[in-house]
Amino acid sequence: EVIGHASGQINPGVGPTDQTLKNYAGILEEARADLVGLYYIMDQKLIDIGVMPSLEVGKAQYDSYILNGLMTQLYRIKEGDNLEEAHMRNRQLIASWVFEKGAKNKVIEKVTRDGKTYIVINDYDKLRNLFGQLLREIQRIKSGGDFEGGKNLVETYGVKADQALLKEV
């Protein structure tokens, strides 16, 4: 959390994110902070220095984060509504983006059994790579003050609730 929020720089000559990214600045900052944690929680160095016993800790965090971003957090909103709160938008943005970008390789799948939806992560290493790609893109947007890029990312992946899944949740 600290490293995620305390890292990253704005390019020279680019104004502060509250001016350049406006209403998307907070969501993108939360997403960047989460992505730093998500990327590094699967790093062998954390085991080497004794912070965690195995990469199973990282896998459990990936399971929890993706499930919450794609599904669990939907219980907090009413049918027909979309996501409004910055942290909810950021979690859905991340989970939806990696789900879509990894779809061809089935990195994450939505599986339906007995009328219930389940989220299955099939490849944790590829998922970590996708987290890194999205982190790079969000940092590019923030560093360069790319309002349109930030807007497109948030509006495409972080706002609209899957209404069928919301109803199920």
Side-chain angles (χ1 to χ4, degrees), residues 32 35-36 39 131-140:
R32 196 178 70 78
L35 285 162
V36 168
Y39 184 80
F131 285 142
Q133 290 175 38
L134 183 55
L135 174 58
R136 183 180 314 114
E137 175 60 9
I138 288 177
Q139 186 59 56
R140 182 200 65 75

Side-chain angles (χ1 to χ4, degrees), residues 4-54:
H5 282 297
S7 63
Q9 297 182 4
I10 305 299
N11 294 341
V14 175
T17 58
D18 63 329
Q19 293 174 8
T20 59
L21 301 176
K22 302 175 182 158
N23 54 313
Y24 300 107
I27 297 160
L28 294 168
E29 173 58 22
E30 293 300 333
R32 196 178 70 78
D34 282 3
L35 285 162
V36 168
L38 289 165
Y39 184 80
Y40 284 106
I41 198 152
M42 286 290 285
D43 195 306
Q44 178 64 38
K45 184 71 172 176
L46 295 176
I47 297 164
D48 297 346
I49 63 173
V51 172
M52 60 189 202
S54 73

Side-chain angles (χ1 to χ4, degrees), residues 1 6 14-15 25 32 35 45 49 59 64 88 90 94 105 107 117 135 140-141 153-154 160 162:
E1 182 73 7
V14 175
R32 196 178 70 78
L35 285 162
K45 184 71 172 176
I49 63 173
K59 290 177 180 179
S64 174
M88 291 178 75
N90 123 64
I94 292 170
N105 295 319
V107 174
T117 304
L135 174 58
R140 182 200 65 75
I141 289 167
L153 199 56
V154 171
K160 294 181 180 117
D162 178 331

Side-chain angles (χ1 to χ4, degrees), residues 3 20 25 28 31 34 51 78 101 112 125 128 134-135 146:
I3 293 169
T20 59
L28 294 168
D34 282 3
V51 172
K78 296 176 185 163
K101 300 302 178 188
T112 304
D125 292 330
R128 181 179 191 234
L134 183 55
L135 174 58
D146 180 1

